[in-house]
Short mmCIF file of all heavy atoms in Angstrom, two decimals:
data_model
loop_
_atom_site.label_atom_id
_atom_site.label_comp_id
_atom_site.label_asym_id
_atom_site.label_seq_id
_atom_site.Cartn_x
_atom_site.Cartn_y
_atom_site.Cartn_z
N ARG A 63 106.88 84.40 104.77
CA ARG A 63 105.78 83.69 104.12
C ARG A 63 105.53 84.39 102.79
O ARG A 63 105.07 85.54 102.76
CB ARG A 63 104.54 83.71 105.01
CG ARG A 63 104.71 82.99 106.34
CD ARG A 63 103.45 83.11 107.18
NE ARG A 63 102.30 82.51 106.51
CZ ARG A 63 101.02 82.74 106.85
NH1 ARG A 63 100.75 83.60 107.82
NH2 ARG A 63 100.05 82.16 106.20
N LEU A 69 105.33 85.74 85.84
CA LEU A 69 104.85 85.87 84.46
C LEU A 69 105.97 85.67 83.46
O LEU A 69 107.15 85.77 83.79
CB LEU A 69 104.19 87.24 84.28
CG LEU A 69 103.04 87.56 85.23
CD1 LEU A 69 102.54 88.98 85.02
CD2 LEU A 69 101.90 86.57 85.06
N ALA A 80 104.10 97.26 72.21
CA ALA A 80 102.91 97.44 71.38
C ALA A 80 101.89 98.39 72.01
O ALA A 80 100.86 98.71 71.39
CB ALA A 80 102.26 96.08 71.10
N GLY A 99 93.53 85.02 96.59
CA GLY A 99 92.77 83.79 96.80
C GLY A 99 93.60 82.69 97.43
O GLY A 99 93.06 81.82 98.14
N ALA A 102 97.45 85.47 100.24
CA ALA A 102 98.33 86.63 100.42
C ALA A 102 97.59 87.73 101.18
O ALA A 102 96.41 87.99 100.93
CB ALA A 102 98.81 87.15 99.07
N ILE A 107 104.04 94.39 93.10
CA ILE A 107 104.40 94.23 91.69
C ILE A 107 105.91 94.41 91.64
O ILE A 107 106.42 95.50 91.94
CB ILE A 107 103.71 95.26 90.79
CG1 ILE A 107 102.19 95.20 90.95
CG2 ILE A 107 104.10 95.06 89.33
CD1 ILE A 107 101.46 96.35 90.26
N ASN A 110 109.20 98.29 88.37
CA ASN A 110 108.77 99.69 88.39
C ASN A 110 107.82 100.01 87.24
O ASN A 110 106.78 100.65 87.44
CB ASN A 110 110.00 100.61 88.30
CG ASN A 110 110.78 100.66 89.59
OD1 ASN A 110 110.53 101.48 90.46
ND2 ASN A 110 111.75 99.75 89.72
N ALA A 122 91.47 95.54 91.84
CA ALA A 122 91.04 94.16 91.61
C ALA A 122 91.01 93.32 92.88
O ALA A 122 90.47 92.22 92.88
CB ALA A 122 91.95 93.49 90.58
N SER A 124 91.10 93.16 97.51
CA SER A 124 90.77 93.84 98.76
C SER A 124 91.99 93.98 99.67
O SER A 124 91.93 94.72 100.66
CB SER A 124 89.66 93.08 99.49
OG SER A 124 90.05 91.76 99.77
N PRO A 133 107.97 103.67 99.46
CA PRO A 133 109.12 103.52 100.36
C PRO A 133 110.35 104.25 99.85
O PRO A 133 111.18 104.71 100.65
CB PRO A 133 109.34 102.01 100.42
CG PRO A 133 108.65 101.45 99.23
CD PRO A 133 107.50 102.37 98.96
N MET A 138 113.93 109.07 100.61
CA MET A 138 114.56 110.27 100.07
C MET A 138 114.15 111.51 100.86
O MET A 138 114.96 112.40 101.12
CB MET A 138 114.22 110.42 98.59
CG MET A 138 114.70 109.25 97.75
SD MET A 138 114.58 109.51 95.98
CE MET A 138 116.26 110.06 95.61
N LYS A 144 115.13 117.05 97.78
CA LYS A 144 114.03 117.73 97.10
C LYS A 144 114.04 117.48 95.59
O LYS A 144 112.99 117.40 94.97
CB LYS A 144 114.09 119.23 97.37
CG LYS A 144 113.89 119.61 98.84
CD LYS A 144 113.96 121.11 99.04
CE LYS A 144 113.76 121.48 100.51
NZ LYS A 144 113.85 122.95 100.72
N GLY A 169 106.21 115.67 97.28
CA GLY A 169 106.84 116.95 97.01
C GLY A 169 108.24 116.85 96.44
O GLY A 169 109.05 117.77 96.60
N VAL A 212 123.46 114.53 88.23
CA VAL A 212 123.95 115.32 89.36
C VAL A 212 124.24 116.75 88.91
O VAL A 212 123.89 117.73 89.59
CB VAL A 212 125.21 114.67 89.97
CG1 VAL A 212 125.83 115.59 91.03
CG2 VAL A 212 124.87 113.31 90.59
N ASN A 214 122.72 118.27 86.76
CA ASN A 214 121.41 118.89 86.54
C ASN A 214 120.65 119.10 87.85
O ASN A 214 119.46 119.38 87.84
CB ASN A 214 120.59 118.02 85.58
CG ASN A 214 119.38 118.74 85.02
OD1 ASN A 214 119.33 119.98 84.97
ND2 ASN A 214 118.37 117.98 84.62
N MET A 253 105.46 95.79 106.44
CA MET A 253 104.01 95.62 106.39
C MET A 253 103.61 94.23 106.87
O MET A 253 102.61 94.05 107.57
CB MET A 253 103.50 95.86 104.96
CG MET A 253 102.00 95.84 104.84
SD MET A 253 101.40 96.25 103.17
CE MET A 253 101.75 98.02 103.12
N GLN A 256 103.57 93.99 110.71
CA GLN A 256 102.68 94.87 111.45
C GLN A 256 101.48 94.11 112.00
O GLN A 256 100.96 93.21 111.34
CB GLN A 256 102.17 96.01 110.55
CG GLN A 256 103.23 97.05 110.22
CD GLN A 256 102.73 98.06 109.20
OE1 GLN A 256 101.60 97.97 108.73
NE2 GLN A 256 103.58 99.01 108.85
#
Side-chain angles (χ1 to χ4, degrees):
R63 296 178 61 197
L69 303 176
I107 304 171
N110 286 270
S124 59
M138 300 190 96
K144 296 180 180 179
V212 172
N214 194 24
M253 186 176 288
Q256 287 174 359

